[in-house]
Amino acid sequence: MIDVAVVGAGISGLSIAYHLKKAGLEVKVFEKEDAVGGNIQTAYIDGYVCELGPQTILADSKVEEFLKDAGIKPIYANPSSKKRYIYRKGKLVALPLSPVEFLLSPFLSLGGKLRVLKEPFVPRSPKQEESIAEFVRRRFGREFLDYVVAPFVSGVYAGDPEELSVKYAVRKVYELEQKYGSVIKGAIKLKALGPSGKLISFEGGNATLIRKLSESLEVHKENVVLRIRRKDDIFILDTKEGKVTAKAVVVSTPATSTGYLLRDLSWSISEEFDKIYYAPVLVVHVAVKFGVLPEGFGFLVPKKENKRILGVIFSSNLFEGRSPEGKSLITVYIGGATDPEIIEYEDEAIVSVLERELRETVDIRDWDLLKITRWKKGIPQYTVGYGRYLELANSIEMEQPGLFLSGNYLYGVSVADCIRVSHHIAKRVIDFLEVKGRTVV
Ligand SMILES: Cc1cc2nc3c(=O)[nH]c(=O)nc-3n(C[C@H](O)[C@H](O)[C@H](O)COP(=O)(O)OP(=O)(O)OC[C@H]3O[C@@H](n4cnc5c(N)ncnc54)[C@H](O)[C@@H]3O)c2cc1C
């Protein structure tokens, strides 16, 4: 019998396993696919480094500490990547980086800007829980929703602001209103107007993070876990390669798989977790044959502009070595919760969308298609009422001591969120197993 079985070798499972192993526990990680990393996958095509899932990680001091401890060296994004654009009426408009730039920039109309400046005087809502769209319309006005927040929501969640919960999807913003009565006032008080952290990746792409983390772990690839049962204080995992017994189990799989795996322990969890919606995302890698990309990170396209592209990242601007000398690489995102059908389109149809829309947005005419990646269940959507899933996760953990749940559908969708929370989950596992005299860093 092992101490801990971790199911799922995405960043959630691997980072928890890392902490547990470091604390001296016997840990095995089980992964259904022949590749580890889950959403984090990097492809190397003709000298281009293509991130099929996450492109950058917004690392704060906790994430940096974790990487340092694991001996994994990050690389930092080019400083010019602070520059980001919004596509508006045929042009890329730079997002302002300071209050003065905000007043001078054409990214919002004068009326739109004045409405934003009224935000500190808008009262709190009497409503229990609002969608992001309701919250932003009420506090900042419609134009700010359409041209700033909605594109941001599609950049992070590939989501629909009318559906996502302000409380669960952008909790920090929600808390600013709760605590200070105004998002702007609270942000000024906390000096939290910009993104908090540094954009990082790794030499050779994000797959390097996964490779290095897995090197020190016992990962059983292509060994799907089919069900998890319990006999007295012992968990029994039925895997493709046979039975495994463990004192504790960490389930770090997407919500649907988690519900299915736990069907013997809780029928309600398997039914309910199946309802968590994951927005589909199409990721297209494009090599730019001629021409120079605009400086900066990339651009987002507001829904109002009636395009199918959600946004484009100028990947070769971000980090060195992402494209062959003199060439550029861009990554195009399409689909999401507001355009889910496009995931089913054939490659030719996707290419014709790109042919039209890349010319209209960045004026890229000469390009080669490198790869189309379809994430049918891309990013979990923290919709209004999401709290019930969190309560359910909590209640099954209480009913089944020794069972721990993790994954991007619980504590934040970013890679950084998954890394940050791994420390707490590992600590709870260790406390449960009462490993005395050993610490988790
Ligand atoms: C297209 C896209 C772009 C993104 N961009 C960014 C970005 O730029 N920055 C950022 O911070 N985040 C980004 N994200 C989000 C981030 O990548 C994910 O939230 C994160 O990687 C999820 O990690 P996870 O370990 O929780 O889940 P997953 O990566 O889904 O890992 C779960 C693992 O469990 C395995 N599994 C499932 N069922 C079983 C089973 N029964 N037995 C064994 N194994 C099983 C799966 O195969 C998988 O490997 C993006 C996501 C997508 C899809």
Side-chain angles (χ1 to χ4, degrees):
M1 177 162 55
I2 56 171
D3 292 324
V4 192
V6 175
V7 188
I11 188 64
S12 296
L14 291 175
S15 44
I16 293 169
Y18 170 80
H19 288 299
L20 296 174
K21 169 95 191 293
K22 196 175 169 215
L25 297 171
E26 194 192 355
V27 187
K28 288 185 182 173
V29 184
F30 299 91
E31 168 55 50
K32 139 179 110 143
E33 304 291 340
D34 62 353
V36 284
N39 287 164
I40 302 181
Q41 300 293 335
T42 310
Y44 306 97
I45 307 167
D46 300 338
Y48 294 89
V49 178
C50 303
E51 295 293 3
L52 310 186
Q55 188 87 210
T56 54
I57 298 166
L58 184 61
D60 62 2
S61 58
K62 294 229 167 72
V63 173
E64 293 220 64
E65 244 170 65
F66 172 83
L67 296 172
K68 194 165 170 211
D69 187 62
I72 305 172
K73 216 170 139 233
I75 55 171
Y76 295 90
N78 196 322
S80 69
S81 59
K82 282 202 174 74
K83 198 162 185 181
R84 292 165 187 239
Y85 306 86
I86 294 284
Y87 176 79
R88 187 163 190 176
K89 293 187 186 138
K91 270 200 244 149
L92 296 187
V93 183
L95 270 175
L97 295 172
S98 69
V100 177
E101 278 184 36
F102 167 77
L103 292 172
L104 299 176
S105 157
F107 91 113
L108 287 185
S109 69
L110 180 62
K113 285 180 198 167
L114 291 174
R115 179 63 183 81
V116 170
L117 296 176
K118 257 177 69 182
E119 193 273 343
F121 308 101
V122 175
R124 287 189 186 88
S125 163
K127 229 175 146 181
Q128 265 285 311
E129 195 181 336
E130 284 178 299
S131 69
I132 293 181
E134 286 172 312
F135 179 90
V136 176
R137 264 196 299 267
R138 178 171 61 77
R139 298 215 63 85
F140 294 94
R142 173 174 282 282
E143 196 178 341
F144 192 72
L145 169 68
D146 291 342
Y147 281 92
V148 182
V149 177
F152 159 81
V153 164
S154 80
V156 175
Y157 282 95
D160 181 352
E162 302 290 346
E163 300 291 333
L164 290 173
S165 158
V166 73
K167 184 169 173 186
Y168 294 103
V170 281
R171 197 172 190 96
K172 279 189 189 149
V173 175
Y174 168 80
E175 283 171 355
L176 288 179
E177 187 195 49
Q178 293 296 307
K179 228 173 165 174
Y180 301 96
S182 149
V183 177
I184 293 181
K185 273 199 240 167
I188 291 172
K189 262 210 171 110
L190 298 178
K191 297 195 176 87
L193 278 171
S196 51
K198 296 175 193 154
L199 280 184
I200 61 161
S201 179
F202 304 87
E203 207 157 301
N206 292 328
T208 302
L209 164 68
I210 296 299
R211 182 172 48 78
K212 295 224 161 142
L213 261 185
S214 335
E215 268 167 15
S216 62
L217 297 168
E218 186 176 330
V219 184
H220 297 252
K221 291 192 274 188
E222 280 188 279
N223 192 5
V224 65
V225 178
L226 300 164
R227 73 198 306 154
I228 298 171
R229 292 174 288 141
R230 170 174 209 140
K231 195 159 183 285
D232 305 324
D233 279 348
I234 293 163
F235 289 95
I236 304 161
L237 286 77
D238 294 331
T239 79
K240 192 179 112 191
E241 288 174 11
K243 277 193 196 347
V244 175
T245 50
K247 294 179 205 158
V249 183
V250 179
V251 185
S252 298
T253 55
T256 307
S257 307
T258 303
Y260 180 73
L261 282 175
L262 299 178
R263 63 197 181 281
D264 285 345
L265 301 178
S266 159
W267 183 246
S268 63
I269 208 166
S270 76
E271 275 206 326
E272 287 299 310
F273 274 18
D274 203 30
K275 294 180 192 154
I276 295 179
Y277 177 58
Y278 282 64
V281 189
L282 254 163
V283 182
V284 190
H285 288 89
V286 169
V288 180
K289 282 208 277 196
F290 301 106
V292 185
L293 293 177
E295 197 192 29
F297 186 93
F299 65 92
L300 290 162
V301 186
K303 206 80 216 144
K304 287 266 157 194
E305 296 291 325
N306 294 318
K307 301 259 171 289
R308 298 202 86 166
I309 287 181
L310 295 174
V312 173
I313 294 182
F314 305 147
S315 306
S316 51
N317 282 359
L318 298 186
F319 302 104
E320 296 302 314
R322 296 287 143 118
S323 57
E325 196 61 36
K327 303 274 180 208
S328 303
L329 170 68
I330 64 170
T331 312
V332 185
Y333 297 84
I334 307 177
T338 54
D339 189 10
E341 306 83 40
I342 201 164
I343 196 90
E344 305 296 343
Y345 283 24
E346 300 286 333
D347 285 3
E348 299 81 66
I350 303 294
V351 168
S352 67
V353 167
L354 290 184
E355 264 161 5
R356 192 175 60 247
E357 297 197 359
L358 282 181
R359 196 168 350 105
E360 289 165 355
T361 50
V362 254
D363 197 18
I364 292 175
R365 284 155 209 270
D366 272 310
W367 50 271
D368 283 330
L369 175 70
L370 295 173
K371 188 168 177 64
I372 297 180
T373 308
R374 288 176 175 78
W375 295 97
K376 287 202 171 176
K377 285 191 148 213
I379 301 180
Q381 302 293 298
Y382 294 13
T383 47
V384 174
Y386 203 80
R388 73 193 168 101
Y389 299 120
L390 305 180
E391 278 163 23
L392 206 58
N394 196 31
S395 74
I396 193 168
E397 285 182 338
M398 303 283 274
E399 281 161 24
Q400 303 288 342
L403 171 71
F404 301 88
L405 306 188
S406 79
N408 64 353
Y409 67 98
L410 289 173
Y411 309 112
V413 298
S414 75
V415 173
D417 290 326
C418 299
I419 292 177
R420 267 190 296 268
V421 80
S422 67
H423 172 82
H424 302 288
I425 296 173
K427 173 118 185 22
R428 284 171 49 221
V429 178
I430 290 162
D431 287 349
F432 170 76
L433 292 171
E434 293 177 341
V435 178
K436 298 222 164 67
R438 292 168 172 156
T439 49
V440 183
V441 179

